[in-house]
């Protein structure tokens, strides 16, 4: 695994908690030192290159990963050993919650779609925090429920939405949350293989869809990057209301 680690024990500049579920509590914004014990002093910053695994299906749970930068695909291997991508984690998302809560092995794999920075919180320290601060446990459950709802919505999308609509929905999910209402161009890294795997189609067919989006000036494809030009039009396609 191509990973660079550094233990943060004094500064919180590089590990901003405003982007993770713990930072949703006003009293704990920016990792203020009122958290129990020295929990936040034990977190680790980890950096993963594109394609590197954060965790693998079947590994013992070691902790959770709060995404600070980049995108991570959460997936399982299918019958034909193809990746079935359940969802794409981005800035502010937490990876590994369900396995931590169930106290089991990781039930999926997680790999970096592009260069990724995460804040890793060890299982032992997270348990101490949650035992002392039940409110944090409730927030963690809220975050987990959001992801369960997303996966359920994804399953419904597979059965009801066209490949074109699923593709638009995926591109939107990869884009930064704060860009959804923006009129500015949004640039995202992507892998045709991953996009095709997520929506259950071939790379050739996906190219046709992207060419269609490009012809309508909804987005452009340049040097393995998607440049979203019209987020509103893309949202209409994702919702099936572009007719």
């Amino acid at each position: 695994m191509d990973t660079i680690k550094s233990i943060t024990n004094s500064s919180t500049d590089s590990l901003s908690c405003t982007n993770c579920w713990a930072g949703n509590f006003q009293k704990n914004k920016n990792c203020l030192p009122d958290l129990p014990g020295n929990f936040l002093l034990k977190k680790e910053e980890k950096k993963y290159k594109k394609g590197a695994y954060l965790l693998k299906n079947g590994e013992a749970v070691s902790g959770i990963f709060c995404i600070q930068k980049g995108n991570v695909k959460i997936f399982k291997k299918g019958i034909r050993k193809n990746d079935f991508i359940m969802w794409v984690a981005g800035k502010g998302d937490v990876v590994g919650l369900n396995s931590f809560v169930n106290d089991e092995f990781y039930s999926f794999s997680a790999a970096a779609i592009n260069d990724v920075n995460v804040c890793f919180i060890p299982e032992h320290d997270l348990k101490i925090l949650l035992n002392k601060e039940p409110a944090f446990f409730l927030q963690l459950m809220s975050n987990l429920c959001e992801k369960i709802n997303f996966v359920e919505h994804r399953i419904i999308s597979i059965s009801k939405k066209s490949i074109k609509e699923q593709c638009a929905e995926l591109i939107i999910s990869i884009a930064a949350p704060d860009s959804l209402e923006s009129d500015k161009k949004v640039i995202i890294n992507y892998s045709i293989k991953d996009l095709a795997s997520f929506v259950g189609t071939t790379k050739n067919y996906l190219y046709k869809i992207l060419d269609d989006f490009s012809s309508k000036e909804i987005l452009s494809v340049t040097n393995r990057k998607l440049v979203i030009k019209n987020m509103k039009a893309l949202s209409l396609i994702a919702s099936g209301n572009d007719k």
Side-chain angles (χ1 to χ4, degrees), residues 107-142:
S107 57
F108 53 84
S109 295
I113 294 177
N114 39 43
D115 289 351
V116 171
N117 291 6
V118 306
C119 174
F120 175 73
I121 303 177
E123 177 187 24
H124 176 265
D125 298 300
L126 184 57
K127 285 182 177 179
I128 293 175
L129 172 65
L130 297 180
N131 286 334
K132 293 185 177 181
E133 294 287 340
F136 275 86
F137 181 77
L138 293 178
Q139 181 62 29
L140 184 148
M141 289 298 98
S142 176

Side-chain angles (χ1 to χ4, degrees), residues 158-173:
I158 292 175
S159 63
K160 293 186 177 182
K161 290 191 173 184
S162 67
I163 298 298
K164 178 180 177 181
E165 291 167 350
Q166 290 185 57
C167 181
E169 189 173 61
L170 170 61
I171 294 171
I172 291 172
S173 72

Side-chain angles (χ1 to χ4, degrees), residues 22-206:
N24 288 333
F25 292 90
Q26 188 62 40
K27 70 174 183 177
N28 296 318
K29 289 290 185 182
N30 297 315
C31 293
L32 293 178
D34 59 347
L35 288 173
N38 292 319
F39 165 74
L40 289 174
L41 300 183
K42 297 179 181 179
K43 64 185 179 180
E44 303 173 32
E45 180 181 16
K46 296 187 177 185
K47 297 181 180 181
Y48 298 85
K49 294 295 185 180
K50 178 180 177 181
Y53 281 77
L54 282 70
L55 57 90
K56 292 184 178 181
N57 185 23
E59 289 181 341
V61 173
S62 57
I64 62 174
F65 301 77
C66 302
I67 309 301
Q68 294 284 322
K69 175 185 176 183
N71 299 104
V72 175
K73 64 176 181 178
I74 312 302
F75 66 99
K76 292 186 177 184
K77 291 292 183 181
I79 297 176
R80 297 181 180 178
K81 295 186 178 180
N82 293 325
D83 293 348
F84 175 76
I85 302 176
M86 297 180 290
W87 61 287
V88 176
K91 181 179 178 181
D93 285 326
V94 183
V95 176
L97 283 181
N98 61 322
S99 298
F100 167 79
V101 172
N102 292 331
D103 195 21
E104 59 183 17
F105 296 104
Y106 289 118
S107 57
F108 53 84
S109 295
I113 294 177
N114 39 43
D115 289 351
V116 171
N117 291 6
V118 306
C119 174
F120 175 73
I121 303 177
E123 177 187 24
H124 176 265
D125 298 300
L126 184 57
K127 285 182 177 179
I128 293 175
L129 172 65
L130 297 180
N131 286 334
K132 293 185 177 181
E133 294 287 340
F136 275 86
F137 181 77
L138 293 178
Q139 181 62 29
L140 184 148
M141 289 298 98
S142 176
N143 187 292
L144 179 57
C145 288
E146 287 180 4
K147 290 301 171 285
I148 292 175
N149 289 338
F150 179 86
V151 174
E152 289 178 345
H153 176 74
R154 160 125 168 78
I155 294 173
I156 294 174
S157 293
I158 292 175
S159 63
K160 293 186 177 182
K161 290 191 173 184
S162 67
I163 298 298
K164 178 180 177 181
E165 291 167 350
Q166 290 185 57
C167 181
E169 189 173 61
L170 170 61
I171 294 171
I172 291 172
S173 72
I174 295 176
D178 56 3
S179 68
L180 300 184
E181 301 299 327
S182 174
D183 292 328
K184 298 180 180 179
K185 293 181 179 179
V186 181
I187 301 175
I188 61 174
N189 293 318
Y190 77 101
S191 161
I192 283 291
K193 180 181 178 181
D194 284 342
L195 291 179
S197 174
F198 190 94
V199 298
T201 188
T202 64
K203 291 193 291 184
N204 288 337
Y205 189 71
L206 187 59

